[in-house]
Amino acid sequence: MGNALVCISTEGAREKSSKHEVNHPPLLASFKGRAGLLFSLSSSENKRKKKAGKFDGQLDEQALAAALLFNHHQGNNGNSLPFPRSKSVVYPSSGSKKDGFTRSSSSRQQSRSDSLLTRPGQLVNQDLETNRVVLVHGGGFGAWCWYKTISLLVKAGFKVDAVDLTGSGIHYSDTNAIRNLAEYVKPLSDIFYKLGEGEKVILVGHDFGGACISYVMELFPSKIAKAVFIAATMLSSGQSALDLISQQKGFSELVRQPQTFIYANGKHSPPTAIDIDKTLLRDSWFNQSSTKDVALASVSMRPIPFAPVVEKLFLSSNNYGSIPRFYIKTQGDCAMPASLQESMINSNPPTQVFELKGSDHAPFFSKPQALHRILVEISQVPSKHI
């Protein structure tokens, strides 16, 4: 997403040809009529797979298997998903805060609470405000990108939902038809409308998902216990994602390379979406991720809707500002450089900042265990200490 937005601000809208056909990836083309789909894994599913060998290797194999199943399903022109969906359980661990925001690093020594995270179904004995996590993907991604994070959190005893935003993942809508941020985040908003009285969640956003969770934070402040931004667009009030990127200078040539813009309404109208150049994925987005995860992304990523990227957000201190925010920096990120992340942190200081050393733009691929430990640590921070 950072790569795509930099291109807009520095290069302007470009076309590869005067004739542009909108083709969704083969993985996605056959899924129709399923709005607001959520990915969920159950604790029982994890127990069945507990003996299947090294966990990260197993997750890589699951990713490829999922891609193959989706493609096979497409060939059969089916209308339902090729695997069952279920709900799971939830819980968390501890943290601290000093004046302003504090910083932590993924290179710290393992603590006793870290060791608890490896025990399937282990619930930390602590009174928590919520035991539910909602994961929101970034631009071009879908709920599928969280498969390692979902598995690790569920294994640790959390209840997890990952949402496909409109026109993303296996959501049926055409990306080019999305007119504003409200339409784009509707599947996420629907989750909050369905929450019961007094129910809260820990809301996590990656990349452009940061703007999406900010929008929802303004609407549902009483239903969000904490908000976590992972290499994400953490906007100040009155900013759009495009505003944020266009203010930055000094990016490498790598992130300045142009993307393909889709003009579904004609080349004399504004772009409707930003297509992702799959040849740039390895170097700009996934420079520390495995070949298998890059392969999964290459068959699963979809265009990024243009209208939400240029929409300004207006955030109030009473709503958005009332929710504790945590930022996770990705130090080896070429798509959302550390300098840009630091600028957002300084302009709109969160409660606490964590750093993932050696992570690319997709820590859920490149550093899943370290990301998992930080998410659990954030979930354990007592609200009374924030």
Side-chain angles (χ1 to χ4, degrees), residues 80 92 108 193 204 210 240 255 272 322 337:
S80 62
R108 67 191 184 284
Y193 284 120
V204 181
S240 69
V255 297
T272 51
S322 68

Side-chain angles (χ1 to χ4, degrees), residues 330-383:
T330 44
Q331 294 290 67
D333 196 328
C334 293
M336 184 79 74
S339 59
L340 172 56
Q341 297 180 56
E342 192 68 34
S343 175
M344 289 186 286
I345 289 166
N346 292 334
S347 298
N348 189 15
T351 303
Q352 188 170 355
V353 176
F354 294 83
E355 296 180 358
L356 273 173
K357 295 181 179 178
S359 172
D360 56 21
H361 190 54
F364 38 75
F365 288 162
S366 60
K367 292 288 183 180
Q369 295 282 356
L371 175 62
H372 171 66
R373 284 194 294 270
I374 291 174
L375 289 176
V376 173
E377 183 173 338
I378 290 171
S379 73
Q380 295 171 3
V381 177
S383 296

Side-chain angles (χ1 to χ4, degrees), residues 4 10 35 45 49 61 84 86 96 124 151 156 159 166-167 190-191 251 273 279 285 299 316 345 352 363 379:
T10 61
E45 179 72 11
K49 295 177 180 176
E61 297 300 330
S86 60
S96 64
V124 179
S151 298
K159 178 180 178 181
T166 306
D190 287 346
I191 293 176
F251 290 109
T279 65
W285 295 52
V299 298
S316 68
I345 289 166
Q352 188 170 355
S379 73

Side-chain angles (χ1 to χ4, degrees), residues 142-305:
W144 53 267
C145 74
W146 298 106
Y147 76 98
K148 293 180 183 179
T149 300
I150 294 170
S151 298
L152 289 167
L153 287 173
V154 170
K155 186 179 180 182
F158 286 83
K159 178 180 178 181
V160 186
D161 290 311
V163 62
D164 276 324
L165 299 177
T166 306
S168 305
I170 58 172
H171 191 281
Y172 68 93
S173 292
D174 179 3
T175 307
N176 295 284
I178 299 170
R179 296 169 297 178
N180 51 52
L181 195 53
E183 289 183 3
Y184 185 52
V185 304
K186 186 179 183 302
L188 177 61
S189 300
D190 287 346
I191 293 176
F192 287 92
Y193 284 120
K194 294 174 184 176
L195 283 180
E197 186 68 30
E199 284 189 80
K200 292 190 175 186
V201 306
I202 296 172
L203 187 58
V204 181
H206 168 249
D207 185 79
F208 185 57
C212 299
I213 68 172
S214 296
Y215 179 89
V216 172
M217 289 164 68
E218 182 65 24
L219 292 179
F220 305 100
S222 65
K223 297 184 177 182
I224 302 167
K226 299 175 179 116
V228 185
F229 294 74
I230 305 173
T233 48
M234 187 170 64
L235 308 180
S236 298
S237 185
Q239 274 188 325
S240 69
L242 178 58
D243 292 336
L244 183 73
I245 299 294
S246 64
Q247 293 172 6
Q248 305 308 308
K249 297 179 180 179
F251 290 109
S252 68
E253 287 304 312
L254 178 64
V255 297
R256 289 183 180 275
Q257 297 179 36
Q259 307 289 313
T260 302
F261 286 79
I262 300 174
Y263 295 84
N265 298 326
K267 58 185 179 182
H268 298 298
S269 298
T272 51
I274 310 164
D275 206 1
I276 299 162
D277 187 340
K278 302 298 173 58
T279 65
L280 300 179
L281 291 180
R282 162 61 71 185
D283 292 334
S284 61
W285 295 52
F286 310 125
N287 50 296
Q288 300 295 327
S289 299
S290 73
T291 301
K292 291 178 180 179
D293 286 325
V294 177
L296 174 64
S298 69
V299 298
S300 305
M301 295 187 79
R302 292 177 67 177
I304 303 164

